[in-house]
Amino acid sequence: MFFYLSKILSFLTTPVAWIFLILLMAIITRDKKKKKNRLITAFLFFLFFSNLFVARTVMRLWEPRPIPISSLYKQYDVGVVLAGGMAFLGEENQAVFKNNPDRIIQTIILYNKGVIKKILLSGGDATILHDNSQNEATLLKQFLLQLGIPEKDILVDSLSRNTYENAANSSRIIKNSFPSDVQVLLITSASHMYRSFACFYKQDIIPDIFPVDHHALSKDYDLVSIILPNSKAFQIWDELFHEWFGLAIYYIIGYI
C-alpha cells in the first residue's frame, strides 16, 4: 500500500505542481484581490524555483562530496548498486540507459581495480503497473555479463521497488552470502545517498559510501544561469524534494 500511495502522491513534492495548483486557484477564484495575490505568488515561486544558481547551491550543500577511488584504502567484499535509469526501447524490449549511468560505470571501474570483489545489483520494476520479468537488476546483470564480468561475482536482488526494499532485500542476501565481518560499499546517486544509507543502517548493515552522479559539482556560474529561468533548476528541485519527502515519510513509518 505504501508503495502505491507514494507513487500517487509524489507529484505533490514538485514545485511545478505547486505553481500549477496556485495558478488553478487563481483562475477559479472570483475575488480580484485573491486572484492577484495568487498570480503574484505563482510568479515568485516560478522565479525562485527556476533559478539554476539557487538550485545548484542547495543541491551542492545536500550532496555528499565525491570520493576519489584512490582514497579507498581497503578492499570490499561486495559493492551494492541501487539500480535505476534503465528502460526498454522498441518492440524488441532492448534495454538502454535513460539516466544515471554513472553508478554502473563507476561500479565497473571499482570492480576492475579490485576495490570490490563482488557486485550486488538491487532493483526491480518500480512502476505501478510493474512486470518483474523486466526488472532493472536483471538487465544490469546482462549488461555486466556482456562486458566479461564473471557471473559468480554478480548477485541480484530483482524484487525491490523502493529504497527500503533495496536495503531489506540486499541485507538479507549479504547476511546469507558473506561472513559477519563483511565489508560493504554502497553505490548510488549522491542526492539519494543519505536515505539509502539510513535504510541500510536500519537493517544492521553499515556500509561505506561511494556517491556518484552528482548534480551540482560545477561552480562556473555565468550571468545567464543567475538571472534567467532554466528548466534544469526544476529537475534539481524535484530531486531534492523527492529525497526530503522520502526521508520524512521513511522516518515516520520506521524505515529509518
Side-chain angles (χ1 to χ4, degrees), residues 29-114:
T29 188
R30 296 183 179 180
D31 188 296
K32 291 184 178 180
K33 184 176 181 180
K34 289 183 178 179
K35 182 186 293 288
K36 178 181 178 181
N37 289 339
R38 288 168 181 171
L39 288 173
I40 292 174
T41 300
F43 179 69
L44 293 176
F45 268 48
F46 172 79
L47 287 181
F48 179 80
F49 287 113
S50 65
N51 188 288
L52 189 58
F53 172 78
V54 173
R56 280 181 173 172
T57 299
V58 176
M59 178 61 87
R60 186 178 298 107
L61 294 173
W62 171 253
E63 290 181 326
R65 302 307 299 162
I67 298 176
I69 294 179
S70 59
S71 69
L72 299 175
Y73 60 90
K74 61 183 178 182
Q75 188 178 49
Y76 295 89
D77 298 296
V78 59
V80 182
V81 188
L82 303 192
M86 296 200 78
F88 295 97
L89 179 65
E91 297 179 357
E92 297 180 357
N93 281 340
Q94 177 183 351
V96 297
F97 288 99
K98 59 181 179 180
N99 53 49
N100 298 343
D102 190 40
R103 67 183 68 177
I104 196 63
I105 292 173
Q106 296 298 326
T107 299
I108 294 169
I109 295 173
L110 289 165
Y111 176 83
N112 288 335
K113 286 183 174 291

Side-chain angles (χ1 to χ4, degrees), residues 84-253:
M86 296 200 78
F88 295 97
L89 179 65
E91 297 179 357
E92 297 180 357
N93 281 340
Q94 177 183 351
V96 297
F97 288 99
K98 59 181 179 180
N99 53 49
N100 298 343
D102 190 40
R103 67 183 68 177
I104 196 63
I105 292 173
Q106 296 298 326
T107 299
I108 294 169
I109 295 173
L110 289 165
Y111 176 83
N112 288 335
K113 286 183 174 291
V115 176
I116 55 177
K117 297 179 183 178
K118 294 185 182 294
I119 300 170
L120 171 52
L121 305 168
S122 178
D125 188 337
T127 59
I128 293 180
L129 300 175
H130 62 277
D131 178 2
N132 280 328
S133 67
Q134 298 179 337
N135 59 75
E136 294 197 35
T138 300
L139 293 175
L140 286 172
K141 178 180 178 179
Q142 295 171 358
F143 177 71
L144 294 180
L145 290 174
Q146 290 174 357
L147 294 178
I149 295 178
E151 187 170 10
K152 66 181 179 64
D153 289 342
I154 305 174
L155 303 172
V156 173
D157 154 36
S158 61
L159 301 179
S160 299
R161 299 172 298 171
N162 56 36
T163 308
Y164 166 74
E165 293 180 2
N166 286 141
N169 293 333
S170 294
S171 66
R172 195 175 301 115
I173 292 173
I174 291 171
K175 291 173 183 177
N176 290 335
S177 304
F178 298 93
S180 58
D181 60 347
V182 59
Q183 298 293 318
V184 180
L185 186 65
L186 179 59
I187 306 163
T188 191
S189 299
S191 62
H192 187 49
M193 184 57 77
Y194 289 112
R195 182 153 57 111
S196 302
F197 178 85
C199 287
F200 275 83
Y201 189 88
K202 184 73 172 182
Q203 299 294 325
D204 296 322
I205 297 291
I206 306 177
D208 288 348
I209 65 170
F210 192 80
V212 298
D213 191 38
H214 289 76
H215 289 279
L217 287 178
S218 175
K219 293 185 179 180
D220 55 338
Y221 299 114
D222 54 28
L223 190 62
V224 173
S225 66
I226 295 175
I227 296 178
L228 295 182
N230 193 309
S231 60
K232 293 180 181 179
F234 284 107
Q235 297 173 5
I236 292 175
W237 282 113
D238 285 352
E239 185 74 21
L240 283 167
F241 281 111
H242 176 76
E243 289 303 317
W244 296 341
F245 175 79
L247 271 171
I249 296 300
Y250 273 31
Y251 178 80
I252 292 170
I253 62 181

